Amino acid sequence: MKRVHRISSALALLLAVLVMGTAGYVVLGFGFLDALYQTVTTVTTVGFREVRPMSHAGMIFTIVLILAGVGTALYTMSLVLESFVEGHFRRHLEGRRMERTIARLSDHVIVCGYGRVGRAAAQHLYAAGHPVVIVDRDLTRLEGLPYPYVLGDISNDDALLAAGVERAKALVATLETDADNVYVALSARALRPDLVIIARARSEDSTDKLYRAGANRVVNAQLIGGRRMAAYALTPDVAEFLDVVMHDEKLDFRIEQVEIGEQSPLCDHRIDDAAVSARTGVVVLAARPPGSTAFVPAPPVELELAAGTILIVVGTPAQLTQLRALVSGTPTKGRPTNGRPTGHRPEGQRSGRR
């Protein structure tokens, strides 16, 4: 941006020289086109003959124009040529294109820091179909990415605003130091009080600081890695199953969370009345009632599905798509996996609201 500003200033100065030179020659008796032609040939040192014989005043004015204009023209041309050779214009145009792309995004995930952890998070989000915006200060990390990015210092709020933090769904802070992640969490929380913030912690001592800074979740990659290795040693099949359903995009089933909407036909029904599995084919693993911090595993039949209840389910992509439509109250076309039309209740099921 500094280079673009320099080029803009140099071009404005060159234009001013051309305007003043043309005006001067017009005052000396030249026609407009002759005056402009004389100014351009003088400033660019082309060396053509004068359009018309010069008076002493014309010679003095031409000397002044040469001294003022030639340096300006050479400086401007050198800046423009250098920018084209070094790719500054190309990067500037790419930056403008990125700005337009990000401006059209909403409910995207911002990944701050494109190191090893940030790269893995972005790749998983992108493979799952979620829009991603990367923020990093190192241009070499960002070149050639399949998703939009912002080149800038994350300590500046302008970088978060450029990444669309006001419209984002979540922010993932994976910077190199815990201090940087604390700063990002503070800045993002100040800009968006309702933003979901996931922060990386390199040490256990930083976990509390990140929570106090505004992070919703704090992830210690080393700690999780160690526990995962221990799980593979003790319960390898369970660990492998969870790893596959959570991280393998090629698998035809996965674990997801869904929230019961106020307009959902499941709202305010007991879980046995709702017949989630019968309607969609998914398996309900756990539920978390609204306002609670604990999950209820294998939810009992008398559990009431109030608005805001979180269900943890496992199923195929088609089943999960149908479930998301059901919990949000959006009608779906076609028939579910079990052959019943959407909204049909098995015989003998209660249908009244509680």
Side-chain angles (χ1 to χ4, degrees):
M1 293 304 299
K2 290 181 180 179
R3 180 171 292 273
V4 172
H5 179 70
R6 289 171 57 194
I7 293 175
S8 300
S9 300
L11 289 173
L13 183 60
L14 178 60
L15 180 61
V17 170
L18 294 176
V19 170
M20 289 187 294
T22 303
Y25 282 119
V26 169
V27 171
L28 292 171
F30 286 64
F32 174 76
L33 186 58
D34 289 343
L36 178 61
Y37 180 77
Q38 183 68 47
T39 301
V40 172
T41 56
T42 301
V43 169
T44 57
T45 66
V46 172
F48 290 161
R49 65 177 179 84
E50 289 86 357
V51 174
R52 54 180 293 179
M54 293 280 188
S55 63
H56 288 90
M59 292 179 183
I60 295 173
F61 178 76
T62 301
I63 292 173
V64 174
L65 183 61
I66 291 173
L67 294 176
V70 171
T72 302
L74 292 177
Y75 175 70
T76 304
M77 292 177 183
S78 64
L79 278 180
V80 172
L81 182 61
E82 181 184 358
S83 297
F84 275 113
V85 170
E86 296 183 1
H88 292 291
F89 269 124
R90 177 181 57 82
R91 286 195 289 271
H92 176 67
L93 293 176
E94 287 181 356
R96 297 297 297 271
R97 179 177 59 82
M98 289 290 181
E99 290 176 4
R100 292 192 295 269
T101 301
I102 295 172
R104 293 192 295 266
L105 292 178
S106 61
D107 290 333
H108 56 286
V109 178
I110 300 173
V111 178
C112 299
Y114 199 64
R116 290 176 296 178
V117 177
R119 184 180 298 110
Q123 289 173 348
H124 181 72
L125 290 165
Y126 184 71
H130 294 282
V132 180
V133 175
I134 307 298
V135 182
D136 200 288
R137 63 169 64 96
D138 188 351
L139 181 61
T140 59
R141 292 179 174 181
L142 302 176
E143 292 179 334
L145 292 183
Y147 18 79
Y149 60 82
V150 173
L151 176 64
D153 190 350
I154 201 62
S155 63
N156 191 337
D157 288 350
D158 291 340
L160 290 177
L161 293 172
V165 68
E166 296 169 325
R167 306 178 308 278
K169 177 180 181 179
L171 181 142
V172 179
T174 62
L175 298 171
E176 296 298 328
T177 66
D178 290 342
D180 287 339
N181 289 322
V182 168
Y183 190 91
V184 171
L186 283 169
S187 300
R189 182 59 67 211
L191 294 171
R192 271 282 306 277
D194 61 334
L195 183 67
V196 176
I197 301 175
I198 300 93
R200 171 194 183 187
R202 299 183 69 91
S203 65
E204 295 186 30
D205 296 337
S206 301
T207 300
D208 290 338
K209 295 183 178 67
L210 286 164
Y211 277 122
R212 289 198 297 270
N216 298 92
R217 295 287 185 273
V218 177
V219 177
N220 187 319
Q222 290 82 358
L223 182 62
I224 291 179
R227 289 176 177 176
R228 200 163 173 184
M229 295 173 70
Y232 270 109
L234 298 176
T235 54
D237 294 328
V238 174
E240 183 177 2
F241 173 78
L242 292 176
D243 190 34
V244 166
V245 296
M246 289 297 296
H247 305 292
D248 190 350
E249 295 84 10
K250 301 176 183 178
L251 198 65
D252 60 352
F253 64 93
R254 63 193 64 161
I255 293 179
E256 283 197 16
Q257 67 177 54
V258 294
E259 183 175 347
I260 304 296
E262 292 183 357
Q263 304 302 320
S264 172
L266 307 182
C267 185
D268 296 332
H269 282 66
R270 287 170 36 134
I271 199 166
D272 60 339
D273 291 338
V276 175
S277 298
R279 292 187 184 196
T280 63
V282 301
V283 177
V284 181
L285 302 178
R288 183 165 68 182
S292 174
T293 58
F295 284 98
V296 180
V301 295
E302 65 272 11
L303 179 68
E304 187 171 292
L305 300 177
T309 299
I310 302 295
L311 297 180
I312 307 299
V313 299
V314 59
T316 65
Q319 292 170 341
L320 293 171
T321 298
Q322 187 173 343
L323 176 62
R324 282 191 291 268
L326 182 62
V327 298
S328 63
T330 304
T332 57
K333 297 180 180 180
R335 298 172 68 86
T337 336
N338 58 13
R340 293 189 184 94
T342 303
H344 175 78
R345 295 183 181 275
E347 294 184 5
Q349 293 277 4
R350 290 182 293 245
S351 58
R353 292 182 176 268
R354 293 176 59 84

